[in-house]
Amino acid sequence: MSSKIEHLKDLSTLVSLCKRRGLVFQSSEIYGGLGSCWDYGPLGSQFKLNVKLAWWQAMTRRSDVVGLDAAILMHPTVWKASGHVDTFTDPLVDCKDCKTRFREDHGMKDGKVVCPNCQSENVTEARNFNLMFKTFMGPVEDDGAVVFLRPETAQGIFVNFENVQTSARKKIPFGIAQIGKSFRNEITPGNFIFRTREFEQMEMQYFVKPDTASDHFEQWKETRKNFLLALGLKEEKLKFVEHGENELAHYAKAAFDVEYEFPFGWQELEGIHNRGDFDLKQHQEFSSKKLEYFDEANKEKYVPYVIETAIGCDRLCLALLCDAYREEISELDNGKTDKRVVLGLNPQLSPYKAAILPLSKKPHLQELAHKIEADLITHWEVNYDESGSIGKRYRRQDEVGTPFCITVDFESVDDKKVTIRHRDSMEQERIEIEQLTKYIADAFHQWN
Ligand code: ATP
């Protein structure tokens, strides 16, 4: 029997797996869906939570980074100070022929703007379109009540710099990490959960003495690369791209994009920026509150520089799913082919850590299998499945990335042993039920 491995070629294969297995559904699907909004189902919400937890622990299980959970709605002046009211815009062009609206840079071809839908050059001048969602606070819908849904989580960190520094008694250098929803009225969202209008960001702002900023920037690049590799992303699918001087955002002194090779091409996954003292100085000016740091040891006062790492949680989930997906195609002896779909996720991220599969529905097997389930569920998310052939049940677990399948058979009742099957090698071992928890815990430990 020969076999070959195919990786994900087409996003639609992943989209349908996600829907079929309850990872990701289209938002408001029964009403025809809502543009570029997605809901995470039972397995997807657990997977996403595992991704957030991995990021959160990597950030905050160090003595120099603390957490924050700021509100989505903020004082409207925040967005004036940050530059979002004036400059968080995309140049928007309308095609006069097919009426498609697109971002000017998405239609650039040989120095001309061409409609990406119908290739017409009959297009309008570019107009700036602000990407922030607006809403009203309180019962009166007038200009004085306008507030914005935050387009990034970073500003919640900047405006709390003083609160966090003094309450956590942190000395520079230190960082503040946050996970939360952001909203951007993107003109051309798409590619499933890659670019959406509502998404979750995982950002960390690290406050440093200005003359040490370049060193910290280099360290964070390394730290973030190691994190992404440890999660399981393939090294050859990641690259670091430095922004040229004229590509830098208004706030940035230096910037790197971490790009990942999605099935639709190389795209930004994470941004690592040296933001200088731009943000704290802007908030000082607009709020008239001092946002300086006093270094007691050197009796020095300064506005810290900020090194930022910013990654979209949904985008990282997509990269991880694309990366993990594989099809193992085998030629069978009878001339037919067999396809095994596997999500080779790092077990730390898998929605289920183990599945418990009684070989038959006989009550004494069910009883033992439920007992094993009750033991394991105190440690991990596990799934009990007794329907269908054992082969089909293995495949169901493979395609959602469950690292271990535990089969309870007729002998298990007498010999107090079960068969444990490994997702990637498909190898099977017979082990004592009493040893299961330790066995699985040790296996996870070795994996990382
Ligand atoms: P892009 O160039 O893709 O629009 P950006 O450079 O504007 O992204 P940042 O403002 O640096 O992105 O945001 C940090 C991270 O947040 C991005 O690297 C990305 O992972 C994520 N992100 C930004 N916009 C979206 C979106 N509309 N949907 C999902 N994730 C997003």
Side-chain angles (χ1 to χ4, degrees), residues 188-199:
T188 40
N191 287 326
F192 194 30
I193 50 174
F194 175 80
R195 187 183 301 285
T196 53
R197 295 193 170 106
E198 172 180 345
F199 56 100

Side-chain angles (χ1 to χ4, degrees), residues 184 186 194-196 199 201 268-271 273 310-312 315:
R184 296 182 187 180
E186 299 276 4
F194 175 80
R195 187 183 301 285
T196 53
F199 56 100
Q201 285 187 309
E268 173 179 336
L269 175 63
E270 170 156 3
H273 309 123
I311 187 164
R315 215 175 261 193

Side-chain angles (χ1 to χ4, degrees), residues 36 84 88 90 103 106 131 151-152 182-186 188-190 192-203 243 251 257-258 267-273 275 308-316:
S36 90
H84 283 83
F88 194 56
D90 271 344
R103 241 166 75 173
H106 288 174
L131 301 184
E152 62 174 29
S182 292
F183 302 81
R184 296 182 187 180
N185 200 359
E186 299 276 4
T188 40
F192 194 30
I193 50 174
F194 175 80
R195 187 183 301 285
T196 53
R197 295 193 170 106
E198 172 180 345
F199 56 100
E200 232 164 332
Q201 285 187 309
M202 305 192 288
E203 292 201 82
H243 286 211
Y251 53 76
D257 282 349
V258 184
Q267 296 284 343
E268 173 179 336
L269 175 63
E270 170 156 3
I272 302 167
H273 309 123
R275 299 180 68 120
E308 159 181 278
T309 77
I311 187 164
C313 179
D314 311 80
R315 215 175 261 193
L316 176 57

Side-chain angles (χ1 to χ4, degrees), residues 367-404:
E367 194 186 326
L368 180 58
H370 277 308
K371 193 178 162 302
I372 293 172
E373 179 194 12
D375 278 350
L376 294 183
I377 214 162
T378 61
H379 300 277
W380 302 287
E381 294 71 33
V382 297
N383 181 225
Y384 178 94
D385 184 8
E386 60 177 23
S387 64
S389 73
I390 193 74
K392 283 216 176 89
R393 282 184 271 165
Y394 284 154
R395 296 297 169 93
R396 279 208 282 271
Q397 298 298 334
D398 290 340
E399 68 173 7
V400 295
T402 310
F404 297 113

